[in-house]
Amino acid sequence: MSSPDVELFQSFCRRYINKGVRNHFNDISGGDDGSLSLDVPRQAIKRVCLHKDTDTLSLTIGRLLIWWVEAKGLFNNIIYGIPSTDFDIKYTYYPQVKLHFSEGRYDSSSNERRPIRSEVSFRWREEDFSTTNITKLAKKIDADFGRPIFSFGRGRELWTYNDKRTGYTFQVYVQDETEAKKIIAQAIGIQDEGAPDWERNLREHKDKKNYGTQKTVKVMG
């Protein structure tokens, strides 16, 4: 014999959860009396999710799990956890555009090393990822970086540019501040107009290691 709380719980599911299930599957006719085919996925899910008066408590819980995981697509949505007011201004889930750079073979061979490579990326804040917009973006990158070919001085100084409002979080290793501003401004200019806010967002990170001092390292004694 079930307790009043269990009856209340199952009555709630039949009244309110079933209403949500029927609204979600409003493209499918038929109730839970066997008219829904188990061979058609959406019909089968609707039939499984609808609560009945004869359900046991374990079956009620099972139907809820199927409803929230399968029909509602629980794992397809982002779960933020602790409420925060700054999710609306973050761009973590936007497409990432990566710009690849490589040092010329002559410069690298004259210094007896492999060509230095760099990658600079940013989030593309576009809502419509149509072929037209992608082609427009590609032409903009080609015009800004390929005609003429854009270059900057890669170095050991680390400069960061963090702008929460627009989602930019650059980390670049360059020769000096001028080169940092050069590559960051060029990347930002692909989708934003106006000068970056250097005073607020640009920072230099000092490296305590002195690369100008040579030292000897023993290998196998």
Side-chain angles (χ1 to χ4, degrees), residues 186-212:
Q186 192 79 353
I188 291 177
I190 293 177
Q191 63 179 336
D192 290 311
E193 297 181 355
D197 190 346
W198 303 121
E199 185 67 26
R200 175 177 296 182
N201 301 324
L202 186 68
R203 295 289 182 273
E204 179 185 9
H205 301 267
K206 298 289 187 179
D207 192 341
K208 297 180 179 180
K209 183 182 294 185
N210 185 0
Y211 292 98

Side-chain angles (χ1 to χ4, degrees), residues 11 29 45 67-68 88 95 108 115 133 157 160 162-163 167 188 193 208:
S11 176
S29 60
I45 295 175
W67 166 237
W68 287 106
D88 292 337
S108 61
N133 284 340
E157 290 189 10
T160 61
N162 295 302
D163 187 347
I188 291 177
E193 297 181 355
K208 297 180 179 180

Side-chain angles (χ1 to χ4, degrees), residues 109-151:
S109 61
S110 61
N111 288 284
E112 298 181 350
R113 53 175 166 74
R114 294 180 179 179
I116 297 174
R117 298 180 181 276
S118 294
E119 175 188 296
V120 177
S121 62
F122 63 91
R123 296 289 178 175
W124 188 32
R125 303 188 312 275
E126 176 60 61
E127 298 291 346
D128 180 13
F129 309 122
S130 62
T131 302
T132 301
N133 284 340
I134 293 175
T135 301
K136 183 179 178 181
L137 173 67
K139 290 182 178 179
K140 175 66 174 176
I141 294 174
D142 181 56
D144 290 355
F145 288 86
R147 304 169 185 268
I149 295 177
F150 178 85
S151 63

Side-chain angles (χ1 to χ4, degrees), residues 148-170:
I149 295 177
F150 178 85
S151 63
F152 68 98
R154 169 73 182 266
R156 294 192 175 99
E157 290 189 10
L158 173 60
W159 290 81
T160 61
Y161 184 90
N162 295 302
D163 187 347
K164 291 184 178 180
R165 184 180 61 84
T166 54
Y168 291 118
T169 55
F170 291 108

Side-chain angles (χ1 to χ4, degrees), residues 10-25 32 46-53 55 63-64 67:
Q10 292 182 309
S11 176
F12 171 85
C13 291
R14 290 192 299 271
R15 183 174 181 180
Y16 295 103
I17 301 300
N18 279 358
K19 182 179 179 180
V21 172
R22 292 189 177 96
N23 289 336
H24 182 77
F25 294 100
D32 57 352
K46 180 180 179 180
R47 183 172 172 178
V48 169
C49 290
L50 286 170
H51 295 267
K52 299 179 181 179
D53 185 54
D55 288 346
R63 293 190 194 281
L64 288 173
W67 166 237

Side-chain angles (χ1 to χ4, degrees), residues 1-16 51-57 60:
M1 185 174 179
S2 60
S3 67
D5 286 339
V6 172
E7 289 290 346
L8 176 63
F9 172 60
Q10 292 182 309
S11 176
F12 171 85
C13 291
R14 290 192 299 271
R15 183 174 181 180
Y16 295 103
H51 295 267
K52 299 179 181 179
D53 185 54
T54 56
D55 288 346
T56 62
L57 180 59
T60 298

